[in-house]
Every structure is written in structure tokens, then in C-alpha cells.
Amino acid sequence: MQIVPMRDLKNTVEIERKCAASGEPVFVTKNGYGRLVVMDIEYYERTMKKMDEASLVNKGIAEYEEGKITDGKTSLKRLRQKHGI
């Protein structure tokens, strides 16, 4: 984990290099406390993709627990009946 003080943000080239080299975010502190997180766009996109996938999995689990899920055979049967196939 990379931690830098707020004053180091003036050196944007170095912050960018740290993000790219580590493949992780850089945490920025002010007066010893966390204030900001700077990250490479690739790290951000990977993180957002994981969050979206986790959200979809959780939604599926919730729908299963609520009984909103049907098996494939039942779904096909309903579709055939609905469309007269």
C-alpha cells in the first residue's frame, strides 16, 4: 500500500508512476489522516467491474431466496405456451 502526504500531489508524474507501478491505489493523507485515494484508470475499471459482478450475484441470490427463479425446463414450457410453439 502506497501512502503519500497531500503536499506530494504537486508531483503528479511521480504519483502517476506509483499508481502504474504498484497496480494499486495511492492513499493521500492530510495531517496524518486519510483524505484521498488516487488510482490508475485500469485499477478503477477492474474494481468497478468486480463491484458490478458482485451486485448481480447478490441480486440473483436475493431473487432465488424470494422464490423468483424458475428452472430452465419450466421457463421453456411457459415460453412455448405463451407463444404457441
Side-chain angles (χ1 to χ4, degrees):
M1 174 173 24
Q2 304 260 351
I3 301 173
V4 298
M6 184 77 71
R7 69 178 175 274
D8 287 2
L9 285 180
K10 293 176 186 174
N11 189 351
T12 57
V13 173
E14 181 64 19
I15 298 295
E16 180 184 6
R17 187 196 61 74
K18 286 183 179 188
C19 288
S22 69
E24 297 181 341
V26 173
F27 296 88
V28 181
T29 60
K30 183 176 181 180
N31 298 324
Y33 296 96
R35 289 295 290 153
L36 303 170
V37 177
V38 180
M39 64 185 77
D40 182 78
I41 192 70
E42 291 174 6
Y43 181 87
Y44 173 80
E45 288 172 348
R46 282 193 317 268
T47 301
M48 295 308 297
K49 182 179 177 184
K50 288 178 186 177
M51 289 176 61
D52 289 341
E53 290 170 353
S55 176
L56 291 171
V57 168
N58 287 335
K59 182 179 176 184
I61 290 170
E63 288 178 355
Y64 174 78
E65 290 173 345
E66 294 169 5
K68 295 180 178 179
I69 304 295
T70 58
D71 62 76
K73 286 184 179 183
T74 304
S75 295
L76 287 174
K77 182 179 177 182
R78 288 181 185 164
L79 286 170
R80 286 184 179 119
Q81 289 173 345
K82 179 179 177 180
H83 298 286
I85 300 172

